[in-house]
């Protein structure tokens, strides 16, 4: 039986989410493959195109989104209309546990129901306002956080599944594809990140983690393939400093590919 408070929260969640036109969840089977990188840059690129965007970091144990956006010092605050989300530029609202004022070096021990409660609170109580897109970054795997997101957010447009090219990552990405399908979240596509490294000295492409695994998994499981993002140390460095790679490295192949992926995602989602 739900308490009155829970019923009220469900109502608030439904009302807030009604104002959000499109919802995208970024997931991966394996850790460290580039979900947060993709989430941050998808959100940035959409905001740059003039869409109103919200970016929600559901990674409780390693909330990196704030740092990647140079927003580690921002704090969430409460006002009459719920939790106010800090903004990264004109069209981008960002919420992460890293903004809740906790000591960044202290791990948080949270069990499943608490994680779901936290995600529910972000959806129900953050003043997202009217948004064109809500982009949700997930921790790795098919655990409580992506499960809560897929169960709590109504009418998700789709998932972006990130993998790196080597077999172990691709194997895990197949789980994420099936997880998404089982939860009736359409797979917008698979991204093969860290796919090749262009040597700045000799110009040759070296495939440090192999090549083509993401595309093969997408073909086998009959979901779209969104493309390959090469390894670019400059992009990583810029990101570590919280800088906008679209502005600092527009010439980078990785940044160009990210831009065209966002175009492909927008095209796949029927923008009303
Ligand atoms: N294409 C790339 N070129 C260079 N560096 C990259 C690339 N993609 C991601 N990185 C770097 O790799 C590291 C891991 O990326 P990121 O944090 O986005 O992965 P993640 O999947 O979100 O990890 P986690 O599973 O821990 O949440 C970061 O330092 C990021 O800057
Ligand atoms: Mg991450």
């Amino acid at each position: 039986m739900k308490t009155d408070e829970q019923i009220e929260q469900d109502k608030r969640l439904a009302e807030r989410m009604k104002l959000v036109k499109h919802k995208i969840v970024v997931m991966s089977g394996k850790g460290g493959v580039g979900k947060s990188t993709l989430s941050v840059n998808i959100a940035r690129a959409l905001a740059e195109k003039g869409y109103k965007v919200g970016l929600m970091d559901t990674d409780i144990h390693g909330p990196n989104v704030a740092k990647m956006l140079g927003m580690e010092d921002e704090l969430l605050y409460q006002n009459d209309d719920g939790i106010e989300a800090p903004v990264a530029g004109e069209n981008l609202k960002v919420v992460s546990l890293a903004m809740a004022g906790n000591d960044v070096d202290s791990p948080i021990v949270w069990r499943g129901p608490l994680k779901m409660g936290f995600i529910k609170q972000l959806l129900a109580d953050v003043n997202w306002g009217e948004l064109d897109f809500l982009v949700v970054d997930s921790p790795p795997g098919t655990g409580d956080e992506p499960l809560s997101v897929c169960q709590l957010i109504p009418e998700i447009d789709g998932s972006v599944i990130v993998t790196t090219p080597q077999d172990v990552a691709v194997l895990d990405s197949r789980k994420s594809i099936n997880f998404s399908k089982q939860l009736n979240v359409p797979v917008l596509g698979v991204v093969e990140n860290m796919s090749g490294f262009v040597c700045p000295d000799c110009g040759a492409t070296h495939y440090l983690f192999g090549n083509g695994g993401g595309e093969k998994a997408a073909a086998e499981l009959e979901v779209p393939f969104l493309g390959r993002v090469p390894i670019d140390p400059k992009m990583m460095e810029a990101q570590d400093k919280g800088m906008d790679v679209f502005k600092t490295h527009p010439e980078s192949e990785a940044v160009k590919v990210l831009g065209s992926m966002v175009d492909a995602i927008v095209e796949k989602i029927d923008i009303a």
Side-chain angles (χ1 to χ4, degrees), residues 173-193:
S173 77
R174 300 167 71 101
K175 281 188 203 140
S176 295
I177 295 171
N178 285 327
F179 173 84
S180 187
K181 284 182 176 172
Q182 274 168 22
L183 293 166
N184 294 322
V185 172
V187 177
L188 290 170
V190 174
V191 175
E192 186 176 296
N193 189 28

Side-chain angles (χ1 to χ4, degrees), residues 144-257:
D144 291 309
E145 297 87 340
L147 180 65
S148 304
V149 164
C150 293
Q151 287 177 336
L152 291 172
I153 303 184
E155 294 172 7
I156 298 180
D157 290 77
S159 59
V160 172
I161 312 283
V162 188
T163 185
T164 46
Q166 70 272 46
D167 283 352
V168 277
V170 172
L171 184 70
D172 291 347
S173 77
R174 300 167 71 101
K175 281 188 203 140
S176 295
I177 295 171
N178 285 327
F179 173 84
S180 187
K181 284 182 176 172
Q182 274 168 22
L183 293 166
N184 294 322
V185 172
V187 177
L188 290 170
V190 174
V191 175
E192 186 176 296
N193 189 28
M194 306 191 194
S195 183
F197 167 73
V198 183
C199 172
D201 299 325
C202 70
T205 303
H206 302 291
Y207 291 99
L208 304 180
F209 300 129
N211 181 19
E215 187 165 16
K216 205 164 138 227
E220 279 172 20
L221 297 180
E222 298 179 348
V223 294
F225 181 64
L226 290 169
R228 299 188 172 97
V229 183
I231 295 170
D232 184 342
K234 283 198 205 121
M235 188 173 88
M236 187 265 291
E237 263 170 52
Q239 198 150 263
D240 261 358
K241 293 183 188 143
M243 288 152 88
D244 181 347
V245 292
F246 289 102
K247 298 213 167 79
T248 56
H249 298 92
E251 76 299 337
S252 147
E253 185 56 27
V255 173
K256 282 187 204 155
V257 177

Side-chain angles (χ1 to χ4, degrees), residues 44-64:
R44 259 196 189 123
L46 289 169
E48 190 64 32
K49 286 176 191 293
Y51 294 114
K52 287 198 177 355
V53 185
L55 174 58
M56 179 169 134
D57 181 2
T58 64
D59 195 334
I60 289 162
H61 302 289
N64 298 141

